[in-house]
């Protein structure tokens, strides 16, 4: 019943269908017993909901502990700054979003689940979601854990802010030079000729303008290449050496997500 859906105070982001404030007994009432006027069906429903809520709170606590451990293990990636230093309230918000996307309750997000994310009223495209998966999926198991998801989400939020700042005429689109500036604001310092080549690739309509989805596609590809570069830069020197086979591997990785 939709009018009985309530957000439970102790579990942000989790909804308990069928929960109603009217069905919540007062603390200490009748020595901890349920109100006598309740029907057996109401009593059973309330008991089942309390068990479900207790399980969800326990799962959240377990997940948060695992996430904090995972954060320490992933502290050296280029995107670590996106989640390092998050406040508890921010972590809880991301946990709520993560839980809403994790439809199968597997504790990780698939490409299809990433496509449920909306920015600017549009869902992520399958192509962009696949590129972002390859970018942040450090374990290469085809799914994003919580901190990988947080880094991805924070990146998209930063890109959205950069896009909005560059869209001075509020047309909802950017030209090539504006795309170049917005990428720089988002932390991607890329030579203009490279941005122009990427722009031409993503400007399928040949209008000379890209909306946020196109801009996100360019940025996702740049982020993916940054992850590949980091993987090959073992000494963090800022330089890598690739032989022909290594170059082909990089190209194949990019083409497979295109």
């Amino acid at each position: 019943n939709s009018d009985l859906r309530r957000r439970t105070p102790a579990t942000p982001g989790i909804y308990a269908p069928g929960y109603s404030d009217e069905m919540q007994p007062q603390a200490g009432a009748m020595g901890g017993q349920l109100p006598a006027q309740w029907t057996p069906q109401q009593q059973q429903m309330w008991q089942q909901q309390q068990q479900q809520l207790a399980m969800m709170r326990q799962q959240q606590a377990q997940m948060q502990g695992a996430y904090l451990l995972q954060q320490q293990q992933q502290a050296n990636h280029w995107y670590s700054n996106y989640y390092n230093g998050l406040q508890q309230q921010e972590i809880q918000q991301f946990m709520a979003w993560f839980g809403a996307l994790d439809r199968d309750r597997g504790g990780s997000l698939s490409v299809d689940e990433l496509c449920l994310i909306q920015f600017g009223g549009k869902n992520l495209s399958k192509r962009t979601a696949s590129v972002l998966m390859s970018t942040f999926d450090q374990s290469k198991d085809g799914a994003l854990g919580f901190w990988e998801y947080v880094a991805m989400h924070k990146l998209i939020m930063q890109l959205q802010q950069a896009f909005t700042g560059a869209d001075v005429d509020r047309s909802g689109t950017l030209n090539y030079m504006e795309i170049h500036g917005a990428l720089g604001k988002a932390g991607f310092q890329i030579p203009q000729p490279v941005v122009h080549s990427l722009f031409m690739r993503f400007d399928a309509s040949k209008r000379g303008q890209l909306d946020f989805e196109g801009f996100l596609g360019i940025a996702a590809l740049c982020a993916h290449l940054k992850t590949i570069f980091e993987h090959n830069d073992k000494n963090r020197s800022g330089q890598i050496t690739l032989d022909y086979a290594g170059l082909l591997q990089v190209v194949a990785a990019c083409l497979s997500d295109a």
Side-chain angles (χ1 to χ4, degrees):
N1 192 338
S2 59
D3 62 347
L4 293 181
R5 295 173 66 87
R6 298 288 190 273
R7 185 184 296 271
T8 59
T11 53
I14 294 181
Y15 287 87
Y19 177 90
S20 171
D21 294 335
E22 298 175 356
M23 296 176 59
Q24 177 66 36
Q26 299 298 318
M30 300 181 64
Q33 298 180 358
L34 299 179
Q37 67 270 25
W38 278 16
T39 66
Q41 184 180 8
Q42 287 177 310
Q43 294 179 18
Q44 183 180 11
M45 182 181 296
W46 182 84
Q47 291 171 348
Q48 291 175 346
Q49 289 163 352
Q50 293 307 300
Q51 293 174 356
Q52 292 174 356
L53 290 174
M55 290 178 60
M56 285 190 289
R57 293 188 184 105
Q58 182 179 6
Q59 290 173 354
Q60 274 197 324
Q62 292 173 345
M63 289 172 65
Q64 187 169 1
Y67 296 157
L68 292 175
L69 176 61
Q70 186 180 5
Q71 181 184 24
Q72 295 176 345
Q73 295 173 341
Q74 297 194 100
N76 294 324
H77 295 303
W78 68 265
Y79 52 75
S80 299
N81 287 336
Y82 287 122
Y83 54 71
N84 284 339
L86 284 178
Q87 300 299 313
Q88 184 64 30
Q89 185 176 1
E90 293 178 288
I91 294 175
Q92 290 180 345
Q93 179 64 78
F94 279 112
M95 288 177 67
W97 289 337
F98 183 87
L101 294 170
D102 185 16
R103 295 297 178 87
D104 62 0
R105 296 296 181 264
S108 61
L109 301 180
S110 65
V111 169
D112 288 338
E113 288 171 325
L114 292 185
C115 290
L116 299 174
I117 299 174
Q118 288 191 349
F119 282 91
K122 289 185 177 181
N123 291 77
L124 290 184
S125 68
K126 189 72 171 281
R127 181 175 72 172
T128 299
S130 297
V131 176
L132 290 170
M133 175 66 72
S134 298
T135 301
F136 294 100
D137 178 21
Q138 290 298 315
S139 59
K140 304 304 178 187
D141 59 355
L144 295 188
F146 176 73
W147 290 110
E148 294 168 334
Y149 157 75
V150 171
M152 182 204 70
H153 195 122
K154 291 276 285 186
L155 170 63
I156 299 177
M157 292 173 65
Q158 183 170 307
L159 290 168
Q160 189 176 38
Q161 184 177 4
F163 184 92
T164 302
D167 184 20
V168 293
D169 61 358
R170 297 297 180 263
S171 64
T173 60
L174 301 180
N175 61 33
Y176 147 63
M177 289 301 297
E178 290 170 330
I179 291 287
H180 178 261
L183 287 170
K185 289 287 186 181
F188 295 96
Q189 304 299 329
I190 305 171
Q192 286 190 13
V194 177
V195 175
H196 184 263
S197 297
L198 292 171
F199 183 90
M200 296 302 292
R201 175 184 176 186
F202 283 86
D203 183 19
S205 63
K206 306 305 178 186
R207 295 184 298 114
Q209 300 283 330
L210 286 181
D211 58 11
F212 179 70
E213 182 178 356
F215 173 66
L216 179 58
I218 291 178
L221 181 57
C222 293
H224 185 195
L225 287 168
K226 200 168 185 177
T227 295
I228 294 175
F229 183 92
E230 181 184 77
H231 176 74
N232 288 279
D233 184 17
K234 306 296 184 182
N235 299 321
R236 298 296 186 264
S237 65
Q239 296 181 338
I240 62 174
T241 301
L242 293 176
D243 58 14
Y244 182 63
L247 177 62
L248 288 178
Q249 187 175 7
V250 171
V251 173
C254 293
L255 292 177
S256 65
D257 294 318

